[in-house]
Amino acid sequence: MRLIERTARWVDPATFKLLPLWYPEFTRRGLFYKNNWTEPQLNTRRSSGESTHKQEGNLGANKALTQALGLRSKDRPNWSCCHIWGVDDALYQNANEVVQDRRYFSCVGNMVLLPTPLKAFTDVMPEVKSMLRICASQLYGWRCDHPSLTQTLKRLDGWTDWSAYPASWPRPDKASIPLGVRFLTPEIRQTALRRMARIFQDLESAGPHYPRQEVEEALVYWKITRPG
């Protein structure tokens, strides 16, 4: 946990407040379209020539976290985007309903940037996940309210073992800023405002496959309104 504490990169709470959700049009396993949401984007196997509709993996979440941290993709080789709130399944046998929900997939309060080798701990160790969730909920003043997380939230409310919890992280009885927070800069602010403007532009002008109703519902959830 000390290594995670020293290396984790967190979005500034001010950035989260400015734009909590960056790519509401995308969600895990969502379908990709090209030419402004007018045509399916296909993957074609060379061996058989068979084409399948390309699905979202983690691209939208990666872009959101990278931009909200004021970074570029080339600035973060060997670092991974880690979702904080999600269905706990170390064997990857169950669908992750949380990141398949547009409200949470590209939410920058639901992600932390970690060196790729350390991400393995967040995938398989419940205690590490719990401590990240406690930190995030205290830092951003928000906890994921997806119905699948009811028992998870009860466990966090009953957390009492602070022996390994990082000293710089906030907790219910102590407000603090974790090491590694990338504070809101004028450049990050401009990037967030451009992204927000693009969301509302796409609602008006994107092609027929743009998920307008779902995007609008996600914006309502986060109380994101048209700028200025």
Side-chain angles (χ1 to χ4, degrees):
M1 286 307 299
R2 288 194 296 272
L3 189 55
I4 291 176
E5 177 187 21
R6 293 198 303 270
T7 57
R9 298 292 178 263
W10 300 88
V11 171
D12 188 346
T15 305
F16 170 76
K17 183 177 180 180
L18 176 64
L19 186 61
L21 188 69
W22 284 56
Y23 289 92
E25 64 268 40
F26 295 126
T27 181
R28 179 78 58 80
R29 294 189 179 180
L31 300 177
F32 276 122
Y33 293 87
K34 59 183 180 179
N35 297 330
N36 197 26
W37 294 85
T38 61
E39 301 176 49
Q41 186 167 336
L42 304 178
N43 283 330
T44 303
R45 294 182 179 179
R46 292 184 179 180
S47 58
S48 65
E50 180 184 359
S51 294
T52 57
H53 203 151
K54 185 176 181 180
Q55 292 185 327
E56 167 70 88
N58 220 35
L59 181 62
N62 264 298
K63 288 172 63 177
L65 181 59
T66 301
Q67 293 169 358
L69 291 171
L71 302 173
R72 298 181 180 180
S73 296
K74 66 179 182 180
D75 299 329
R76 38 159 293 190
N78 304 316
W79 290 66
S80 292
C81 166
C82 171
H83 278 100
I84 295 169
W85 300 97
V87 174
D88 295 334
D89 179 23
L91 298 179
Y92 301 101
Q93 294 178 338
N94 299 314
N96 195 329
E97 298 176 87
V98 177
V99 293
Q100 291 178 18
D101 191 314
R102 297 176 194 278
R103 295 174 296 173
Y104 314 123
F105 177 63
S106 65
C107 168
V108 295
N110 186 27
M111 292 182 279
V112 63
L113 189 68
L114 287 171
T116 299
L118 294 184
K119 186 179 182 300
F121 288 96
T122 71
D123 289 338
V124 301
M125 296 189 66
E127 296 86 354
V128 173
K129 291 182 181 183
S130 293
M131 286 185 270
L132 284 169
R133 289 166 179 170
I134 292 169
C135 178
S137 62
Q138 296 299 315
L139 182 63
Y140 301 115
W142 170 79
R143 302 197 307 179
C144 184
D145 55 4
H146 191 277
S148 67
L149 298 178
T150 301
Q151 294 303 316
T152 296
L153 295 178
K154 288 182 179 178
R155 287 195 297 271
L156 293 184
D157 289 338
W159 184 270
T160 59
D161 182 9
W162 303 101
S163 59
Y165 190 83
S168 72
W169 289 7
R171 44 190 280 181
D173 60 350
K174 185 193 74 171
S176 63
I177 297 295
L179 301 176
V181 167
R182 303 279 296 204
F183 292 106
L184 178 62
T185 64
E187 292 77 14
I188 294 175
R189 179 180 295 276
Q190 284 302 113
T191 300
L193 293 177
R194 285 196 298 269
R195 178 87 280 273
M196 189 187 304
R198 179 58 187 270
I199 293 170
F200 286 98
Q201 177 185 334
D202 285 344
L203 279 170
E204 292 182 354
S205 61
H209 298 293
Y210 187 81
R212 284 178 173 79
Q213 180 176 342
E214 295 91 336
V215 168
E216 289 173 348
E217 290 171 354
L219 297 179
V220 168
Y221 173 85
W222 286 109
K223 298 180 175 61
I224 298 173
T225 56
R226 186 182 298 273

